Amino acid sequence: PPRSTLFPYTTLFRSKPHHRVQTAPTAAPVTTVGPTSSTPSATTTPSPIRPVFADDFSNPASGWAPDATQDGNGIASYKPDGYHVTVLKPMPVLNTFSLASPYQPRLMSLSATVTATVTGAPTDGVGVRCDQGGRVHLRYTFEIHGDGSWVVFKTDDTAATALLQGQSPNVINTGARANLITGTCTDVGADATQLTMLVNGVNLGTTTDTHPGQIAWHAALIVYRSSPTVTTEVRFDSFQAVAVGP
């Protein structure tokens, strides 16, 4: 059966058993910098969710591709063990190489989850992004690094700004080990979005950002290369997008 799936709202997504991620201890300490509105914990309050798209990257025709206007900064290809992305040039902090989800409809409240393994320098990063359909206008990125650090940042047409960041080496699987990363962008009014980041099931932080007007979100994958000499490669082996809320 096809493994890139548009859900009829009743089917639940399941990762392939041999790619199951080893989650971190539930009592792991988390250090957070930024305006959090909830204390990080290993449990989260369930919200109504509607699965809309899932992909285990086994089908090369599923439609993932690098965003436009990235000037040859990276390449991506489907392989038997997942979707591989290689970033060819180092990047400034709070800037990433990005890949657009094939699921095009935008959602008022979106949660994107991916399993990813990074090979490269310790400060290289990987994660997910809520955007408006590309590398333009307001977007929110949820990024972890191989040294156990993480950041949630916003980017618009003029600048990038960190909203939350911290060190969580007891939550994030450091080095070339798989992590389950979730970024959630939830509509909380006509001009605000609540942002929540989870790694391996642990809530690292939540904050709310204001912006002009109400925004519907699309999902993307991101990779960050920090080193001018060490090549960064990431393997993605599962992805899920869900609509959050009623």
Side-chain angles (χ1 to χ4, degrees):
R3 297 182 181 177
S4 177
T5 307
L6 290 174
F7 287 91
Y9 310 156
T10 57
T11 307
L12 294 179
F13 170 83
R14 302 185 189 280
S15 299
K16 294 182 287 187
H18 64 282
H19 289 313
R20 184 167 297 169
V21 177
Q22 179 182 357
T23 58
T26 57
V30 176
T31 302
T32 305
V33 178
T36 58
S37 59
S38 64
T39 302
S41 66
T43 59
T44 57
T45 302
S47 299
I49 62 171
R50 172 167 51 91
V52 293
F53 177 77
D55 194 359
D56 65 3
F57 303 106
S58 63
N59 179 7
S62 67
W64 291 88
D67 280 320
T69 69
Q70 298 190 87
D71 301 323
N73 285 347
I75 55 176
S77 61
Y78 290 83
K79 296 184 179 181
D81 63 343
Y83 189 54
H84 286 244
V85 179
T86 302
V87 181
L88 305 175
K89 302 175 184 179
M91 298 174 167
V93 174
L94 305 186
N95 193 8
T96 65
F97 184 75
S98 58
L99 307 106
S101 162
Y103 181 74
Q104 293 304 316
R106 287 158 55 181
L107 305 170
M108 296 308 302
S109 296
L110 169 69
S111 183
T113 298
V114 72
T115 303
T117 306
V118 182
T119 303
T123 50
D124 287 347
V126 65
V128 296
R129 186 181 73 200
C130 297
D131 60 37
Q132 298 180 62
R135 298 172 64 85
V136 293
H137 310 311
L138 180 65
R139 49 207 186 269
Y140 296 110
T141 299
F142 305 80
E143 180 180 19
I144 67 169
H145 307 110
D147 62 358
S149 62
W150 57 274
V151 61
V152 178
F153 65 93
K154 66 183 289 185
T155 310
D156 56 25
D157 293 334
T158 61
T161 306
L163 301 175
L164 290 171
Q165 55 190 327
Q167 295 281 340
S168 305
N170 293 322
V171 174
I172 297 169
N173 293 323
T174 56
R177 295 189 293 164
N179 283 280
L180 185 70
I181 308 156
T182 299
T184 301
C185 297
T186 305
D187 174 53
V188 289
D191 58 357
T193 298
Q194 184 181 78
L195 311 169
T196 301
M197 183 172 186
L198 283 79
V199 177
N200 298 323
V202 178
N203 185 345
L204 297 184
T206 298
T207 190
T208 299
D209 187 55
T210 57
H211 46 71
Q214 204 164 28
I215 298 175
W217 300 107
H218 168 264
L221 302 175
I222 64 93
V223 180
Y224 167 67
R225 174 173 169 173
S226 60
S227 170
T229 58
V230 180
T231 300
T232 305
E233 182 171 348
V234 173
R235 174 173 60 85
F236 297 102
D237 62 35
S238 67
F239 174 85
Q240 180 188 29
V242 302
V244 181

